[in-house]
Amino acid sequence: MGELESIRVFLAVAAQQSFAGAARQLGMTPASVTRTIAALEAQLGVQLLVRTTRQVSLTSAGAVYAERVTPLAKGLAEAADETREAQGIVSGRLRISAPLSLGVKVLPAVLSQFGALYPQIHVDVSLSDRFVDIVEEDYDLAIRISGPPNDKSTIWRKICRVPRLLVASQEYLRARGTPQQPEDLDGHDCLGHRNDSGNEVWQLFNGKRQHSHKAEGSLSANNGDLLAALVLHHRGIASLPRFIIEADLAAGRMAAVLPDWSTAEIWLTLYYPPYEQLPLRVATFSDFFETHVNKICPL
């Protein structure tokens, strides 16, 4: 293995703090990773990593070496990508952040078809319902379901509107009564979608009428699938994207609450770091994603 590949393996181990984790990321065996690091340390004449039963950490020499070689490795990878792109070759690694529910329900079909068309792109997807800083955490793009962005440092691209409904189980409504007006929500268990800014506030609209309701109850969560499961367990009312609950609505396991009232608009969007120009692999995936999702909109 050449020195550049050895550096790539070393940086992966340092980032993962694990030989096994680096091996999974790189598609190597743990034994190959161990041999590569041992050979690099022998070549440099210093110990770069400390191995314990719990994790792998950098020595002081390893930290200095990682700091120096990281920009070199990144620059070489970018140079290779730019050279391929100049020839119209779509390749390289694409790091994507996406919400958990959308990742599980929508992305498998997208990624399968995209991978068949562009096998030279390695797509690395991280699913999380927290707000991910794509610049700080080095993502190529993020897929989000949200209102307009507050972060002015990123570029964003609207894909389509994501319809939401207030829903509850039939059994819950029989036991607790069906709200007829937004004010009636005060007597119900409202399952809020919790985020870093606190519990959810439902903004409801009916023509010129508006009503705000703070979703407070005995339960809240930061994931739509969990909230949907709680609704099915008759724990309360939740505001959920239609793509999560479509099957339950069709089967009668859930019912719409206040169907004449709509919620504040949220959008499926793509967010990018402040590129001067989208890298070819990012632009290619973005166009493919938008085309695929618009075929199944409304989500």
Side-chain angles (χ1 to χ4, degrees):
M1 183 176 287
E3 184 173 0
L4 290 177
E5 282 301 302
S6 298
I7 289 172
R8 187 169 73 97
V9 173
F10 162 70
L11 292 175
V13 174
Q16 295 286 330
Q17 296 184 326
S18 164
F19 283 85
R24 286 192 296 271
Q25 177 184 319
L26 299 171
M28 300 171 62
T29 65
S32 296
V33 171
T34 300
R35 285 196 299 271
T36 300
I37 297 300
L40 182 61
E41 289 177 326
Q43 177 187 342
L44 296 173
V46 297
Q47 183 178 353
L48 299 173
L49 297 162
V50 177
R51 294 83 160 164
T52 68
T53 56
R54 293 188 176 182
Q55 68 176 26
V56 177
S57 58
L58 291 168
T59 63
S60 57
V64 171
Y65 186 68
E67 184 177 1
R68 295 298 298 272
V69 300
T70 294
L72 296 175
K74 185 175 182 180
L76 286 169
E78 290 174 351
D81 288 341
E82 289 168 6
T83 301
R84 295 187 189 101
E85 289 181 8
Q87 303 302 314
I89 300 171
V90 186
S91 63
R93 187 179 181 210
L94 183 65
R95 293 196 71 219
I96 299 173
S97 169
L100 181 58
S101 298
L102 182 118
V104 171
K105 295 183 181 297
V106 176
L107 283 187
V110 175
L111 296 176
S112 297
Q113 295 178 37
F114 184 78
L117 289 173
Y118 302 99
Q120 290 181 292
I121 297 182
H122 174 81
V123 183
D124 181 356
V125 180
S126 177
L127 301 181
S128 174
D129 288 327
R130 70 180 177 87
F131 184 88
V132 174
D133 187 326
I134 59 175
V135 176
E136 184 69 25
E137 300 185 39
D138 197 27
Y139 283 96
D140 295 301
L141 75 150
I143 304 169
R144 291 179 182 160
I145 296 175
S146 67
N150 296 319
D151 182 3
K152 303 303 181 184
S153 67
T154 56
I155 308 165
W156 65 299
R157 171 178 176 176
K158 278 185 175 182
I159 302 299
C160 63
R161 190 174 65 86
V162 179
R164 288 183 296 174
L165 295 172
L166 293 180
V167 292
S169 70
Q170 300 281 8
E171 183 173 326
Y172 175 88
L173 294 176
R174 282 194 294 269
R176 300 287 298 273
T178 301
Q180 301 301 314
Q181 298 295 331
E183 291 80 6
D184 298 337
L185 293 170
D186 290 338
H188 285 269
D189 284 322
C190 296
L191 309 175
H193 189 284
R194 191 189 70 255
N195 55 40
D196 294 339
S197 60
N199 284 342
E200 185 177 20
V201 176
W202 296 341
Q203 302 291 346
L204 304 174
F205 303 89
N206 184 346
K208 294 184 178 180
R209 298 175 63 194
Q210 298 183 27
H211 183 84
S212 295
H213 178 79
K214 190 171 184 179
E216 292 181 317
S218 58
L219 289 165
S220 61
N222 71 339
N223 174 258
D225 283 313
L226 176 55
L227 290 173
L230 291 170
V231 168
L232 291 174
H233 280 79
H234 324 304
R235 293 305 305 269
I237 301 170
S239 174
L240 293 168
R242 180 178 282 276
F243 77 89
I244 293 179
I245 57 175
E246 190 70 59
D248 293 312
L249 285 169
R253 292 185 292 269
M254 288 185 188
V257 176
L258 299 176
D260 295 334
W261 289 76
S262 61
T263 60
E265 280 193 351
I266 56 173
W267 285 78
L268 178 64
T269 53
L270 298 181
Y271 284 72
Y272 311 101
Y275 296 120
E276 291 184 7
Q277 180 177 346
L278 290 183
L280 183 58
R281 67 189 184 282
V282 177
T284 300
F285 178 83
S286 299
D287 291 342
F288 182 88
F289 179 80
E290 181 168 12
T291 299
H292 179 91
V293 168
N294 279 331
K295 290 179 182 177
I296 61 173
C297 274
L299 290 173

